[in-house]
Amino acid sequence: MTLVLLMFAAFAVLLLIGVPIAFAMGLSAVMALAVEGTVPLLVLPQRFYSSLDAFSLLAIPLYIFAGEIMNVGGVTAAIVRFARSLVGHIRGGLGQVNILTSIIFAGISGSAAADCAAVGSMMLPAMKREGYKPEWSVVITTASSILGPIIPPSILMVLYGAMTGLSIGTLFLAGIVPGLFMAFVMMVLVYLKADTIGAPRQSRAPLSEVASSLGAAAPALLMPVLIVGGILSGVFTPTEAGIVAVAYGLLYGIVARRLTLRGTYEFALSTALSTASILIILGGAALFSWIIARAGVPAAIATWLSEVTSNGAVVLALIVLLLLVIGMFIETISALILVVPVLTPIAGNFGFDPIHFSVVTVIAVLIGALTPPVAVLLLLTCKIGGVEYSRTMRPLVPFLLVLFAGLVAIMYVPALTLALPRLFGYGG
């Protein structure tokens, strides 16, 4: 346990002096083992490599690349137009459109940051032109962006499956209903807060506009159907689905005449950099987590929790509070990579369904990423919208409350997560 405390101390110091989290985790693990002196340091590169030697991780760059290609073809504008024709007349107007756009865009990007950037760049100027309060527009965009990693295809679910051995296809299925449920509670809040937000009344779009916008948005709507449908039907694996998504994106870009060789190269380079960043974090966290597991920390925590309470509901609440705090300070992917190897055996000890627990974990970390003081996603959207971070604190509170209420419902009503996987044969 002393070794673990030393490693955490080194980790905290490295973070405070500005070392990137991937290197902070890896270097603190190296320092701890060097001080202990009982394990050859040659073990570390072996552990680093073995953590990345998973075929399923190949899906990450494929989904990122497919999302980049799809977005260049003007698909975001088409999604916004379609969403506006469907829900723009509902009380809350463009706030409702913003959330529905994030639902549809989630089927393309799988990333909260990508959702913030793409949807925010389209919706924030439009909402400003129509008189919406900028701070509310930023908060709505940020809160709805968490749907990206919940509704499939999800980069976080791919990572979770790679780290735990759970079926990525089942994880994708498990995220659909919770993602739609979280979107619903946000849409209810926007409906109730329409006057506060500054939402003007909108007229209902004619059926001709709905049909026209549906035709333009059809490629975006078909992509998640193609991916999830192909996985569920057994035609291809989640990783192979990534290849299909890239091929589909390339075809769409060519047909839309928006894809160039230079643009494709830039997307490939951006994808490579993003993937390298994720994999370095994963490797550093693997070293960090291996030392934690080697020291028996998960078992010790499980024992402590058993002594504190035997009530599984209370244990789950304590774990979620921990995840929320971690998500507040550590970027989402890094946080997930850090906690999953530690929490998975604890969840198993208390008999939590692994698929249900995975969805709860992902959503809790994402809500943490919306929560000050760091709130990485909110900072990104504030930059896009040109709004001071401090101005978003008041409108952020009701969104955090409804999202947390939604998370509690998902925590204690497992059917919200498991009904769809069970419909397709999951036996958990």
Side-chain angles (χ1 to χ4, degrees), residues 66-82:
E68 292 267 17
I69 294 171
M70 286 292 291
N71 197 37
V72 75
V75 72
T76 307
I79 292 172
V80 170
R81 181 185 166 207
F82 177 59

Side-chain angles (χ1 to χ4, degrees), residues 35-337:
V35 170
E36 185 191 38
T38 60
V39 177
L41 293 182
L42 184 62
V43 171
L44 294 178
Q46 294 172 344
R47 288 278 170 182
F48 190 100
Y49 174 78
S50 63
S51 69
L52 307 180
D53 188 21
F55 180 68
S56 55
L57 289 177
L58 184 60
I60 294 174
L62 293 171
Y63 288 133
I64 294 174
F65 190 45
E68 292 267 17
I69 294 171
M70 286 292 291
N71 197 37
V72 75
V75 72
T76 307
I79 292 172
V80 170
R81 181 185 166 207
F82 177 59
R84 189 166 187 163
S85 72
L86 286 181
V87 300
H89 63 281
I90 297 175
R91 181 178 163 83
L94 290 186
Q96 309 288 8
V97 173
N98 198 319
I99 296 169
L100 181 57
T101 300
S102 290
I103 293 173
I104 300 172
F105 195 80
I108 298 173
S109 71
S111 163
D115 193 308
C116 277
V119 177
S121 63
M122 291 291 299
M123 290 303 305
L124 293 177
M127 295 176 82
K128 183 178 180 180
R129 284 194 302 271
E130 298 199 13
Y132 288 76
K133 294 180 180 178
E135 60 273 21
W136 280 94
S137 301
V138 163
V139 169
I140 292 169
T141 303
T142 309
S144 63
S145 73
I146 71 168
L147 301 175
I150 302 173
I151 297 172
S154 164
I155 294 171
L156 292 186
M157 294 300 187
V158 172
L159 275 173
Y160 204 110
M163 288 187 287
T164 60
L166 294 173
S167 164
I168 295 173
T170 304
L171 290 172
F172 279 1
L173 269 180
I176 294 174
V177 174
L180 295 177
F181 178 70
M182 298 300 272
F184 172 75
V185 299
M186 285 189 282
M187 293 181 87
V188 170
L189 178 62
V190 169
Y191 183 92
L192 297 174
K193 290 282 188 179
D195 292 336
T196 305
I197 293 168
R201 297 284 181 176
Q202 304 282 340
S203 58
R204 183 186 293 270
L207 288 177
S208 58
E209 170 61 18
V210 175
S212 172
S213 61
L214 173 60
L221 298 172
L222 285 174
M223 185 170 172
V225 174
L226 179 67
I227 293 171
V228 177
I231 294 171
L232 294 179
S233 63
V235 175
F236 38 71
T237 68
T239 304
E240 292 165 347
I243 299 172
V244 173
V246 169
Y248 182 84
L250 287 170
L251 179 62
Y252 173 78
I254 292 169
V255 172
R257 298 184 179 180
R258 299 262 185 113
L259 193 63
T260 64
L261 286 176
R262 180 176 178 80
T264 305
Y265 168 76
E266 290 175 352
F267 294 145
L269 181 60
S270 174
T271 299
L273 292 173
S274 298
T275 305
S277 175
I278 293 171
L279 294 182
I280 290 172
I281 293 171
L282 181 58
L287 304 181
F288 199 83
S289 302
W290 175 63
I291 293 177
I292 291 174
R294 182 171 169 268
V297 172
I301 294 174
T303 301
W304 175 77
L305 287 172
S306 298
E307 292 172 352
V308 171
T309 177
S310 59
N311 189 320
V314 176
V315 171
L316 185 58
L318 292 173
I319 291 174
V320 165
L321 287 174
L322 173 64
L323 290 169
L324 289 170
V325 172
I326 291 173
M328 287 168 58
F329 296 98
I330 300 178
E331 185 271 332
T332 308
I333 290 175
S334 305
L336 194 70
I337 292 171

Side-chain angles (χ1 to χ4, degrees), residues 189 396-407:
L189 178 62
L396 179 63
V397 172
F399 274 91
L400 289 177
L401 290 176
V402 298
L403 288 173
F404 185 71
L407 173 59

